[in-house]
Amino acid sequence: MTDLVVRLRDHVQGFLRDLRDQGLRVPVARQRTFLRAIEATGPRDAAHLYWIGAATLTTCRDDLEVYSPTFERWFGQAGALPAREEDSPAEDDVPAPGGDGAPFAAASVGGQAGLAASHSERESRPVFGPASQDDRAVLALLRRELRGAVPMVRSRRRRPGRRGPWIDVARVCRESWRNHGEIVTVRRRNRPRRQRRVLLLIDVSGSMKEHSAAYLRFAHAAVGCLDRVEVFTFGTRLTRVTEPLRAREVDLAVGSLSEIVLDAEGGTRIGPSLQEFLANARYVTMARGALVIVLSDGLERGDCGPMRAAVRRLSLLGHRLLWWTPLACDPAYRPVTRGMSAVLGSVDTLAGVRDLRTAYEQVQNLARE
């Protein structure tokens, strides 16, 4: 154990307390990530420790302005950015505090090529701008088209009907009492058709930042016009957002999610998030026999084994599993990343959706099928 780690053990609580006293918001989850990063990497020197803390305890340049002098008081001058090694705690390019580099980024975000997943587990409150007039026009089309696009299924409950293979004995007896024991009409029961349940799983991680708002507006349209819809978001954790999306106004509904979805624009942990869904017996019921739509680029961080197993089980539970990704909007796209190649065999349809208009096109394809 290095001298630095011994000093950290003695001073970390006071250091974190001082950060809070200076006005830096450091939630318990972020503190836990900081301590785990120290344990996993074993800081080589003060500079290495400085950047571990910067990557796990701060989210913007304003945070660095509080973090840097506080760190210096407790651990001394951090010095220059350490050389990148294989066991570094993050792969992010972070400019030195006070320098002329690009703004601080706590997460490495996959770009248009879709070759990298985000690594940050910070908490943040996303801000979704208002829907444009074009978005509202497409949302109106979606509400009209979605009703006919969702597959139908026979209800398990028998209902009174004009035709049906079952005689409604209770109704026949009630009517016969009014007619002095005579059976005038034979009443029947059947199993009417109804819409299948729809399950939407929306990726809100950093690599999906440009598309999350459109996906959530699509979910709002689905919740508003379909009978049975459940919506979950995932980045580094799973969040059920069905109830907030029931608000009539789309901007109000999507805007309220900033208080609920705290892992937006952060890291990507698709496999663990889906496994958390499948570990809840109530949530599993929502997926059974449902039309499952995953809106994600499929850029998994770390081991893809949990993601493969979770997607496989979702495919077996649901009626169909659709995977909509913005990367597939490029005609040259091929699902060759580790995550997508691992789950491709469990996906019924892989399609490109990057905004509401492309989502409307996929809904039309679903209706034709």
Side-chain angles (χ1 to χ4, degrees):
M1 183 179 294
T2 65
D3 292 340
L4 185 60
V5 174
V6 175
R7 289 174 59 196
L8 177 64
R9 183 183 59 189
D10 296 336
H11 295 284
V12 65
Q13 295 299 332
F15 168 59
L16 294 174
R17 189 180 304 111
D18 195 7
L19 285 177
R20 294 193 297 269
D21 294 342
Q22 298 300 321
L24 179 60
R25 181 175 176 269
V26 187
V28 174
R30 203 176 297 166
Q31 297 179 35
R32 188 181 300 116
T33 303
F34 173 56
L35 297 175
R36 287 177 178 172
I38 294 171
E39 181 181 0
T41 60
R44 300 182 299 274
D45 49 32
H48 193 180
L49 176 61
Y50 173 89
W51 289 112
I52 292 176
T56 56
L57 298 175
T58 67
T59 60
C60 61
R61 184 172 290 278
D62 291 340
D63 289 352
L64 277 177
E65 293 176 356
V66 177
Y67 170 80
S68 298
T70 306
F71 181 92
E72 187 172 345
R73 285 198 303 272
W74 284 86
F75 300 105
Q77 182 66 34
L81 175 66
R84 182 177 298 175
E85 296 186 0
E86 291 296 324
D87 60 348
S88 296
E91 299 177 355
D92 311 317
D93 294 327
V94 184
D100 298 329
F104 173 77
S108 175
V109 178
Q112 293 295 332
L115 301 178
S118 175
H119 288 252
S120 173
E121 295 189 17
R122 63 186 176 88
E123 291 184 357
S124 65
R125 298 183 182 274
V127 178
F128 301 109
S132 65
Q133 291 300 321
D134 183 61
D135 288 342
R136 292 179 181 275
V138 178
L139 285 171
L141 295 175
L142 276 169
R143 295 188 190 98
R144 186 180 64 189
E145 195 76 23
L146 274 168
R147 294 182 181 276
V150 177
M152 304 295 288
V153 63
R154 288 285 183 185
S155 172
R156 293 184 179 181
R157 294 185 177 181
R158 299 176 185 178
R159 306 286 186 183
R162 297 182 62 183
R163 298 180 180 86
W166 299 280
I167 297 177
D168 193 341
V169 177
R171 291 177 65 199
V172 169
C173 290
R174 285 197 302 269
E175 291 182 0
S176 69
W177 293 340
R178 302 189 192 105
N179 295 294
H180 307 288
E182 295 291 337
I183 298 177
V184 178
T185 305
V186 177
R187 302 297 182 181
R188 295 191 173 273
R189 296 174 70 88
N190 60 19
R191 293 170 53 195
R193 297 173 66 85
R194 64 175 181 175
Q195 293 175 341
R196 284 189 179 272
R197 188 189 302 274
V198 176
L199 174 63
L200 299 177
L201 299 168
I202 300 176
D203 188 345
V204 294
S205 62
S207 59
M208 297 293 293
K209 179 179 179 179
E210 296 181 6
H211 313 284
S212 296
Y215 288 173
L216 292 171
R217 292 183 185 119
F218 169 77
H220 176 265
V223 169
C225 70
L226 299 179
D227 296 335
R228 300 183 300 163
V229 184
E230 292 292 339
V231 185
F232 292 81
T233 64
F234 64 88
T236 58
R237 71 191 73 171
L238 186 75
T239 307
R240 182 171 181 258
V241 297
T242 308
E243 293 305 321
L245 290 176
R246 295 192 190 280
R248 181 178 294 272
E249 171 57 36
V250 58
D251 290 338
L252 179 62
V254 174
S256 67
L257 299 183
S258 62
E259 301 297 325
I260 302 171
V261 181
L262 300 181
D263 58 336
E265 304 174 12
T268 306
R269 300 176 68 240
I270 302 175
S273 298
L274 296 183
Q275 286 189 328
E276 181 182 349
F277 176 90
L278 294 170
N280 188 312
R282 182 187 173 202
Y283 293 168
V284 169
T285 302
M286 299 174 183
R288 188 169 287 115
L291 176 66
V292 183
I293 304 178
V294 182
L295 298 103
S296 171
D297 53 14
L299 300 180
E300 176 64 308
R301 184 185 74 178
D303 183 17
C304 293
M307 177 178 171
R308 182 192 301 111
V311 172
R312 173 63 177 168
R313 189 179 175 200
L314 272 177
S315 176
L316 294 174
L317 282 171
H319 168 65
R320 290 184 65 193
L321 176 59
L322 312 182
W323 197 290
W324 292 352
T325 169
L327 304 178
C329 292
D330 183 355
Y333 170 74
R334 297 294 181 272
V336 295
T337 56
R338 292 183 302 115
M340 286 309 304
S341 60
V343 304
L344 193 59
S346 301
V347 175
D348 293 300
T349 302
L350 177 65
V353 173
R354 61 170 173 262
D355 52 23
L356 290 175
R357 193 161 293 279
T358 51
Y360 177 64
E361 294 172 0
Q362 293 305 321
V363 169
Q364 287 182 311
N365 292 336
L366 187 62
R368 285 192 290 270
E369 293 174 4

